[in-house]
Amino acid sequence: MIETRKLTKRYGDLIAVNEINLSLAAGDVFGFIGPNGSGKTTTMRMIATLLDPDYGEAYVCGKSIYGNSREVRRLIGYMPDAFGVYEDMTVMEYLEFFAAAFRIDGPARRKRCEECLELVDMSFKRDAYVNQLSRGQTQRIGLARTLLHEPEVLLLDEPASGLDPRARIEIRRLLRRLGELKKTVIVSSHILPELADVCTRVGMIEKGNLLVDGDVREVMRKARESITLQIRVKETEPGTSRTEAAAKLLEQADEARSVTIADDGTIDVSLKPGVEDYTAIPQSLLEAGFAPTLFREEEVNLETAFMELTKGVQQ
Ligand SMILES: Nc1ncnc2c1ncn2[C@@H]1O[C@H](COP(=O)(O)OP(=O)(O)OP(=O)(O)O)[C@@H](O)[C@H]1O
Ligand SMILES: [Mg+2]
C-alpha cells in the first residue's frame, strides 16, 4: 500500500531523508519514530505528493507519486503537524468545507461529517467556532478532517502532540481501529512508548537514515543484548525461603548468566546472549518441587530500545 525506494531529499548540503526504503501493507500501523529534525515530516510530505524528492520513488496503492498526484491525494489522508484554521467558521462548517472539496455532496456530506466528529469524540463542539477551540480539540478536528474522504492510507504527523492523557488513549484506540479497518497508517512521534502498543511495525529514523524497521517485538529483541526472565515462586511455609532456594537452582541453569532477587521477591534471570530457548528452566523448577506463580520475559521499553539502537550513529 505504501512503498518507497531510496526516497531521498536534500536541502543544500543537508541530506534530510537518505535513501529510505519502506514497504507497508494494508492493516500495517507503522510507528515512525525519531528525534527533532530527523526527517519524519519530510518523508511524509514526499509520500503525500506535497514535496518533490530529489531521488527515489514512492508508490501509494501501486500509484507512483510522480504524475499521479491527484489520485494519490485522493487515497491519502494527511494530517500535518500544524495546520491553519479558518476564522469565523464553526466546526461543522469547517468539516463540510473540506468534505465539499472532496466532492462529498448531498445528505451524505453532513452524515460523513457527523461520523468523523463522532469518531474523534467532538460532536459536542459541532457549533463552536474553530478558532475558539483548545489546542487538543483543534488537533482532533484536524484528524476528523483527515478521515472525511475515507482514505486507504493515513499519514499522521504527531497526532498526539498537545493532547491530554485521555485524548492520547483515544488516539491510540483510533489507530488500532484504523489498522483493523485495513487502512495503512504511518504515525510519527518522538514520544516512543506512546506508539509501542498500537503499532504493528516500527521504524526509527535519525539524521535522515532509517536505522531499524520491523515488527515491534523484533525491534525490541534486536535492541536488547539478552533476554531477562522474571520468575516468582510460591512461599509454602513462613520462614523457609523458597525464593532463595529457587534462585540457587536457577544459577545452575546452563542458559543463565546472572540471577538476582528484586525487593518484591521476583527473581530476575538474565540469560546468556543469544539464548532464545529457555524451556528447560520452568521444567527444572517444577521438577525440584517449586510452584511458580510468575514466569515471563521482561518487557523491553521502546525508549531504551531506541537509545540502544541509535547509539553512536551521529554523522
Ligand atoms: N524547507 C526546508 N529548507 C531547508 N531545510 C529543511 C527544510 N525543511 C526541512 N529541513 C531540514 O530537514 C531536516 C528534517 O526535517 P523534518 O521536518 O523532516 O524533521 P522531523 O523529523 O519532522 O522533525 P520534528 O520531530 O521536529 O518534526 C531538518 O534538519 C530540517 O532543518
Ligand atoms: Mg516533523
Side-chain angles (χ1 to χ4, degrees):
M1 300 305 267
I2 301 180
E3 180 115 26
T4 71
R5 293 194 198 137
K6 297 198 169 184
L7 199 63
T8 300
K9 183 73 194 176
R10 293 195 191 88
Y11 291 110
D13 286 342
L14 179 94
I15 305 178
V17 172
N18 190 17
E19 301 198 353
I20 284 193
N21 297 310
L22 275 180
S23 181
L24 303 174
D28 276 343
V29 179
F30 180 71
F32 200 21
I33 295 166
N36 289 136
S38 53
K40 302 180 296 296
T41 298
T42 306
T43 304
M44 289 170 127
R45 284 177 58 83
M46 287 192 283
I47 297 171
T49 77
L50 299 170
L51 185 69
D52 283 332
D54 288 305
Y55 183 75
E57 256 290 6
Y59 301 88
V60 176
C61 302
K63 303 226 176 306
S64 165
I65 53 167
Y66 300 111
N68 295 304
S69 60
R70 259 181 100 91
E71 283 164 83
V72 169
R73 283 179 199 185
R74 176 73 189 75
L75 292 163
I76 283 182
Y78 171 62
M79 179 176 169
D81 52 355
F83 39 90
V85 282
Y86 297 65
E87 309 225 340
D88 293 333
M89 246 188 189
T90 68
V91 166
M92 190 44 87
E93 284 165 352
Y94 178 79
L95 288 181
E96 289 212 52
F97 174 83
F98 284 97
F102 284 120
R103 308 238 159 89
I104 307 169
D105 295 318
R109 184 193 297 169
R110 190 55 180 260
K111 185 163 169 283
R112 185 63 195 149
C113 293
E114 294 280 5
E115 280 169 7
C116 291
L117 268 186
E118 188 70 39
L119 216 52
V120 297
D121 214 7
M122 282 290 289
S123 304
F124 74 110
K125 284 283 185 186
R126 164 190 305 107
D127 300 318
Y129 283 94
V130 281
N131 59 345
Q132 290 171 9
L133 297 175
S134 77
R135 181 167 163 196
Q137 290 168 342
T138 309
Q139 196 84 344
R140 293 197 212 189
I141 296 301
L143 188 57
R145 175 186 130 185
T146 307
L147 298 169
L148 281 174
H149 59 301
E150 300 183 65
E152 289 304 313
V153 167
L154 287 146
L155 306 175
L156 310 175
D157 204 352
E158 297 184 41
S161 76
L163 297 187
D164 63 33
R166 174 182 289 273
R168 280 170 187 268
I169 291 170
E170 279 159 14
I171 287 266
R172 282 145 66 136
R173 210 172 283 155
L174 192 62
L175 287 174
R176 238 182 246 129
R177 172 130 180 73
L178 292 170
E180 285 161 11
L181 291 170
K182 292 285 165 215
K183 308 281 184 195
T184 308
V185 185
I186 298 185
V187 49
S188 76
S189 178
H190 13 81
I191 308 166
L192 314 166
E194 188 163 77
L195 296 178
D197 55 343
V198 283
C199 293
T200 56
R201 293 178 56 182
V202 57
M204 294 180 179
I205 184 172
E206 191 171 76
K207 306 218 162 174
N209 296 294
L210 194 63
L211 300 176
V212 256
D213 165 25
D215 177 82
V216 176
R217 309 261 147 236
E218 231 169 77
V219 168
M220 290 193 186
R221 225 167 237 273
K222 257 188 226 167
R224 69 181 163 186
E225 202 192 328
S226 68
I227 297 172
T228 298
L229 299 177
Q230 297 181 314
I231 301 169
R232 238 178 264 157
V233 293
K234 195 170 172 190
E235 290 290 346
T236 38
E237 291 160 43
T240 66
S241 179
R242 299 292 285 160
T243 301
E244 275 173 31
K248 284 222 164 61
L249 177 80
L250 290 163
E251 276 170 12
Q252 308 302 315
D254 284 342
E255 299 87 348
R257 184 175 54 178
S258 65
V259 177
T260 52
I261 303 176
D263 288 343
D264 66 350
T266 306
I267 308 170
D268 288 323
V269 183
S270 158
L271 302 184
K272 289 176 181 159
V275 173
E276 299 269 330
D277 180 359
Y278 48 78
T279 44
I281 290 181
Q283 210 158 347
S284 68
L285 280 172
L286 291 170
E287 278 167 12
F290 292 101
T293 56
L294 174 81
F295 191 95
R296 66 174 179 211
E297 273 188 33
E298 185 187 40
E299 291 269 340
V300 178
N301 182 309
L302 202 55
E303 192 134 16
T304 322
F306 179 75
M307 297 310 283
E308 204 54 45
L309 286 162
T310 57
K311 218 158 44 184
V313 285
Q314 308 287 343
Q315 304 176 26

